[in-house]
């Protein structure tokens, strides 16, 4: 079975799909994106991701190239054409193809591409059982990371730095020593049965997984606080986690040289995963 992608109105063989060399995404990172998790052939929290996509488009003053209702249709088509059971959808919109000029082009239609990818369930489960390791590094991103833009060089460098240090994720530290978030995930620590995560601002992305986990925590009357935390708090924490559309809730067992708990996943990991899975909407 060949892999199929959606490119500006057409369903194409993934290996034959391409974009123009003067696409503004390619030249300026002038675009936004979304990643949707797929669980049992269903889209996780579709409305939340679509709302965030429209917020991102609005913030960069870009008009959606298709009607709002068509996104669901194309994503569902790709899930079925690619026979995805569990996996992810990557969707990207750029300001389209135009002769290179910083100013917005006139009369250029935005480019939309959507790709689908299978993920093996056991990979997530294996990582979950072992927990992941985190490397901290400076948060060198621009000041509007609440917009989900394809301008990802700083997170790319941070993630590579983590990988070079035998870690799976980087936690980004701001100029005041606070951990803002992961290079591609939300950061959490647990202390005295209260879960902490950074409050929303322009300095972090409003994670859809974060929103659903918070919904689940409220429903289950589990204490949480949206409060900044630093490395001292991390060292004092009982457990730690990351969340994202592809990692769901993933326990952290080490941050730099510090073991979290006893270096194994803690008893809340399974609880929070369940709370999250029960809070998501599948469509
Ligand atoms: N923060 C950043 C910087 C991210 O890239 C991501 C993943 N897109 C997240 C947080 C988590 O967001 P979500 O739960 O919506 O995947």
């Amino acid at each position: 079975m060949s892999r199929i992608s959606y490119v500006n109105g057409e369903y194409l063989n993934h290996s034959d799909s391409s974009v123009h060399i003067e696409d503004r995404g390619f030249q300026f990172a002038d675009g936004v994106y979304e990643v949707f998790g797929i669980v049992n052939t269903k889209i996780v929290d579709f409305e939340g991701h679509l709302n965030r996509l429209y917020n991102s488009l609005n913030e960069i003053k870009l008009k959606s190239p298709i009607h709002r209702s068509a996104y669901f249709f194309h994503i569902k088509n790709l899930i079925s054409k690619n026979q995805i059971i569990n996996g992810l959808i990557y969707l990207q919109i750029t300001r389209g193809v135009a002769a290179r000029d910083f100013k917005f082009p006139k009369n250029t239609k935005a480019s939309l591409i959507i790709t689908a990818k299978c993920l093996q369930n056991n990979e997530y489960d294996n990582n979950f059982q072992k927990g992941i390791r985190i490397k901290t590094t400076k948060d060198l991103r621009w000041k509007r990371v609440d917009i989900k833009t394809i301008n990802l060089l700083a997170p790319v460098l941070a993630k590579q730095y983590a990988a070079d240090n035998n870690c799976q994720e980087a936690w980004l530290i701001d100029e005041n020593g606070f951990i803002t978030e992961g290079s591609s995930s939300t950061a959490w620590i647990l202390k005295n049965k209260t879960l902490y995560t950074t409050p929303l601002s322009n300095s972090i992305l409003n994670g859809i997984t974060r929103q659903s986990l918070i919904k689940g925590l409220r429903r289950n009357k589990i204490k949480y606080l949206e409060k900044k935390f630093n490395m001292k708090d991390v060292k004092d924490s009982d457990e730690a986690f990351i969340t994202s559309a592809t990692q769901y809730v993933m326990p952290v067992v080490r941050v730099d040289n510090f073991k979290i708990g006893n270096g194994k996943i803690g008893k809340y990991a399974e609880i929070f995963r369940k709370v999250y899975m029960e809070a998501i909407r599948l469509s």
Side-chain angles (χ1 to χ4, degrees), residues 16 37 46 70 76 96 102 105 108 114 175 182 192 201 212 231 236-237 239 244 273 278:
D16 302 333
F46 174 75
K76 279 295 200 188
F102 280 69
T108 297
I114 316 175
E175 62 278 16
N192 296 332
S201 72
S212 283
M231 272 310 281
D236 290 343
S237 69
E239 297 189 33
S244 78
R273 170 159 73 165
E278 286 171 359

mmCIF file of all heavy atoms in Angstrom, residues 16 37 46 70 76 96 102 105 108 114 175 182 192 201 212 231 236-237 239 244 273 278:
data_model
loop_
_atom_site.group_PDB
_atom_site.id
_atom_site.type_symbol
_atom_site.label_atom_id
_atom_site.label_comp_id
_atom_site.label_asym_id
_atom_site.label_seq_id
_atom_site.Cartn_x
_atom_site.Cartn_y
_atom_site.Cartn_z
ATOM 1 N N ASP A 16 5.828 11.233 -4.335
ATOM 2 C CA ASP A 16 5.819 12.146 -5.495
ATOM 3 C C ASP A 16 5.396 13.567 -5.105
ATOM 4 O O ASP A 16 5.310 14.438 -5.963
ATOM 5 C CB ASP A 16 4.817 11.682 -6.562
ATOM 6 C CG ASP A 16 5.123 10.288 -7.045
ATOM 7 O OD1 ASP A 16 6.298 9.904 -6.977
ATOM 8 O OD2 ASP A 16 4.174 9.596 -7.456
ATOM 9 N N GLY A 37 -3.354 13.737 17.053
ATOM 10 C CA GLY A 37 -3.164 12.321 17.368
ATOM 11 C C GLY A 37 -4.322 11.510 16.799
ATOM 12 O O GLY A 37 -5.447 12.008 16.702
ATOM 13 N N PHE A 46 -10.295 16.931 18.001
ATOM 14 C CA PHE A 46 -10.266 17.629 16.708
ATOM 15 C C PHE A 46 -10.592 19.124 16.847
ATOM 16 O O PHE A 46 -9.882 19.980 16.319
ATOM 17 C CB PHE A 46 -11.246 16.960 15.730
ATOM 18 C CG PHE A 46 -11.378 17.692 14.444
ATOM 19 C CD1 PHE A 46 -10.380 17.628 13.493
ATOM 20 C CD2 PHE A 46 -12.490 18.484 14.185
ATOM 21 C CE1 PHE A 46 -10.479 18.334 12.301
ATOM 22 C CE2 PHE A 46 -12.600 19.186 12.997
ATOM 23 C CZ PHE A 46 -11.595 19.110 12.061
ATOM 24 N N ALA A 70 -14.097 21.582 5.845
ATOM 25 C CA ALA A 70 -13.402 20.632 4.955
ATOM 26 C C ALA A 70 -12.212 19.948 5.640
ATOM 27 O O ALA A 70 -11.760 18.892 5.184
ATOM 28 C CB ALA A 70 -12.940 21.357 3.696
ATOM 29 N N LYS A 76 -10.037 12.763 7.732
ATOM 30 C CA LYS A 76 -10.679 11.439 7.761
ATOM 31 C C LYS A 76 -10.307 10.628 6.509
ATOM 32 O O LYS A 76 -10.027 9.443 6.584
ATOM 33 C CB LYS A 76 -12.213 11.599 7.845
ATOM 34 C CG LYS A 76 -12.696 11.878 9.239
ATOM 35 C CD LYS A 76 -12.400 10.687 10.115
ATOM 36 C CE LYS A 76 -13.234 10.658 11.361
ATOM 37 N NZ LYS A 76 -12.795 9.604 12.300
ATOM 38 N N GLY A 96 1.839 30.546 0.789
ATOM 39 C CA GLY A 96 1.785 30.220 -0.628
ATOM 40 C C GLY A 96 3.049 30.551 -1.399
ATOM 41 O O GLY A 96 4.092 30.869 -0.825
ATOM 42 N N PHE A 102 9.669 40.179 1.436
ATOM 43 C CA PHE A 102 9.221 40.042 2.827
ATOM 44 C C PHE A 102 7.743 40.369 2.992
ATOM 45 O O PHE A 102 7.045 39.733 3.754
ATOM 46 C CB PHE A 102 10.062 40.940 3.759
ATOM 47 C CG PHE A 102 11.392 40.332 4.117
ATOM 48 C CD1 PHE A 102 12.387 40.185 3.161
ATOM 49 C CD2 PHE A 102 11.649 39.901 5.404
ATOM 50 C CE1 PHE A 102 13.611 39.621 3.489
ATOM 51 C CE2 PHE A 102 12.875 39.331 5.742
ATOM 52 C CZ PHE A 102 13.861 39.196 4.776
ATOM 53 N N PRO A 105 2.435 38.667 -0.210
ATOM 54 C CA PRO A 105 2.080 38.763 -1.633
ATOM 55 C C PRO A 105 0.587 39.083 -1.782
ATOM 56 O O PRO A 105 -0.206 38.736 -0.904
ATOM 57 C CB PRO A 105 2.374 37.357 -2.171
ATOM 58 C CG PRO A 105 2.303 36.465 -0.977
ATOM 59 C CD PRO A 105 2.649 37.283 0.227
ATOM 60 N N THR A 108 -2.278 35.781 -3.544
ATOM 61 C CA THR A 108 -1.668 34.442 -3.510
ATOM 62 C C THR A 108 -2.466 33.579 -2.551
ATOM 63 O O THR A 108 -2.744 33.998 -1.427
ATOM 64 C CB THR A 108 -0.203 34.541 -3.039
ATOM 65 O OG1 THR A 108 0.502 35.300 -3.993
ATOM 66 C CG2 THR A 108 0.435 33.171 -2.910
ATOM 67 N N ILE A 114 -1.289 18.059 3.977
ATOM 68 C CA ILE A 114 -1.632 17.207 5.130
ATOM 69 C C ILE A 114 -0.993 15.839 4.899
ATOM 70 O O ILE A 114 -1.128 15.265 3.810
ATOM 71 C CB ILE A 114 -3.162 17.032 5.308
ATOM 72 C CG1 ILE A 114 -3.917 18.359 5.126
ATOM 73 C CG2 ILE A 114 -3.478 16.427 6.665
ATOM 74 C CD1 ILE A 114 -5.440 18.218 5.170
ATOM 75 N N GLU A 175 15.055 33.457 30.825
ATOM 76 C CA GLU A 175 16.156 34.267 31.391
ATOM 77 C C GLU A 175 16.058 34.388 32.916
ATOM 78 O O GLU A 175 17.028 34.761 33.572
ATOM 79 C CB GLU A 175 16.234 35.649 30.699
ATOM 80 C CG GLU A 175 15.040 36.550 30.847
ATOM 81 C CD GLU A 175 13.908 36.241 29.849
ATOM 82 O OE1 GLU A 175 13.882 35.163 29.226
ATOM 83 O OE2 GLU A 175 13.026 37.100 29.728
ATOM 84 N N GLY A 182 8.659 22.088 27.024
ATOM 85 C CA GLY A 182 9.577 21.245 26.271
ATOM 86 C C GLY A 182 9.757 21.804 24.865
ATOM 87 O O GLY A 182 9.019 22.697 24.431
ATOM 88 N N ASN A 192 3.914 17.004 46.339
ATOM 89 C CA ASN A 192 2.868 16.889 47.375
ATOM 90 C C ASN A 192 1.474 16.741 46.766
ATOM 91 O O ASN A 192 0.544 17.460 47.138
ATOM 92 C CB ASN A 192 2.890 18.103 48.315
ATOM 93 C CG ASN A 192 4.183 18.180 49.084
ATOM 94 O OD1 ASN A 192 4.813 17.133 49.338
ATOM 95 N ND2 ASN A 192 4.617 19.376 49.430
ATOM 96 N N SER A 201 0.726 32.034 28.444
ATOM 97 C CA SER A 201 1.179 33.386 28.082
ATOM 98 C C SER A 201 1.697 33.289 26.650
ATOM 99 O O SER A 201 1.596 32.228 26.027
ATOM 100 C CB SER A 201 2.315 33.839 29.008
ATOM 101 O OG SER A 201 3.492 33.118 28.687
ATOM 102 N N SER A 212 -6.820 19.036 27.816
ATOM 103 C CA SER A 212 -7.617 17.848 28.142
ATOM 104 C C SER A 212 -7.192 17.234 29.473
ATOM 105 O O SER A 212 -8.042 16.758 30.230
ATOM 106 C CB SER A 212 -7.515 16.795 27.034
ATOM 107 O OG SER A 212 -8.337 17.193 25.973
ATOM 108 N N MET A 231 14.514 24.887 38.357
ATOM 109 C CA MET A 231 15.236 23.620 38.553
ATOM 110 C C MET A 231 15.233 23.168 40.010
ATOM 111 O O MET A 231 15.279 21.984 40.290
ATOM 112 C CB MET A 231 16.683 23.736 38.038
ATOM 113 C CG MET A 231 16.812 23.398 36.581
ATOM 114 S SD MET A 231 16.045 21.831 36.104
ATOM 115 C CE MET A 231 17.254 20.664 36.649
ATOM 116 N N ASP A 236 13.131 19.006 43.724
ATOM 117 C CA ASP A 236 12.286 18.668 44.883
ATOM 118 C C ASP A 236 11.027 17.888 44.493
ATOM 119 O O ASP A 236 10.236 17.538 45.358
ATOM 120 C CB ASP A 236 11.806 19.960 45.579
ATOM 121 C CG ASP A 236 12.952 20.656 46.283
ATOM 122 O OD1 ASP A 236 13.988 19.996 46.500
ATOM 123 O OD2 ASP A 236 12.806 21.857 46.593
ATOM 124 N N SER A 237 10.829 17.663 43.188
ATOM 125 C CA SER A 237 9.539 17.087 42.772
ATOM 126 C C SER A 237 9.484 15.582 43.014
ATOM 127 O O SER A 237 10.518 14.914 43.115
ATOM 128 C CB SER A 237 9.278 17.398 41.300
ATOM 129 O OG SER A 237 10.181 16.688 40.494
ATOM 130 N N GLU A 239 7.368 13.522 41.003
ATOM 131 C CA GLU A 239 7.267 12.930 39.665
ATOM 132 C C GLU A 239 7.290 14.071 38.650
ATOM 133 O O GLU A 239 7.096 15.237 39.020
ATOM 134 C CB GLU A 239 5.966 12.118 39.500
ATOM 135 C CG GLU A 239 5.892 10.923 40.442
ATOM 136 C CD GLU A 239 4.718 9.987 40.157
ATOM 137 O OE1 GLU A 239 4.328 9.833 38.986
ATOM 138 O OE2 GLU A 239 4.196 9.403 41.130
ATOM 139 N N SER A 244 1.922 15.883 25.035
ATOM 140 C CA SER A 244 1.795 16.410 23.674
ATOM 141 C C SER A 244 0.875 15.482 22.892
ATOM 142 O O SER A 244 0.568 14.372 23.346
ATOM 143 C CB SER A 244 3.151 16.496 22.973
ATOM 144 O OG SER A 244 3.545 15.231 22.514
ATOM 145 N N ARG A 273 -2.314 9.239 33.016
ATOM 146 C CA ARG A 273 -2.578 8.771 31.646
ATOM 147 C C ARG A 273 -4.059 8.399 31.513
ATOM 148 O O ARG A 273 -4.703 8.753 30.524
ATOM 149 C CB ARG A 273 -1.695 7.561 31.308
ATOM 150 C CG ARG A 273 -2.121 6.917 29.994
ATOM 151 C CD ARG A 273 -1.087 6.080 29.347
ATOM 152 N NE ARG A 273 -0.874 4.819 30.011
ATOM 153 C CZ ARG A 273 -0.214 3.808 29.463
ATOM 154 N NH1 ARG A 273 0.298 3.937 28.256
ATOM 155 N NH2 ARG A 273 -0.038 2.686 30.111
ATOM 156 N N GLU A 278 -9.476 9.465 29.460
ATOM 157 C CA GLU A 278 -10.913 9.558 29.688
ATOM 158 C C GLU A 278 -11.458 10.959 29.380
ATOM 159 O O GLU A 278 -12.662 11.138 29.230
ATOM 160 C CB GLU A 278 -11.242 9.184 31.140
ATOM 161 C CG GLU A 278 -11.123 7.668 31.358
ATOM 162 C CD GLU A 278 -11.223 7.265 32.819
ATOM 163 O OE1 GLU A 278 -11.371 8.148 33.691
ATOM 164 O OE2 GLU A 278 -11.135 6.051 33.082
#
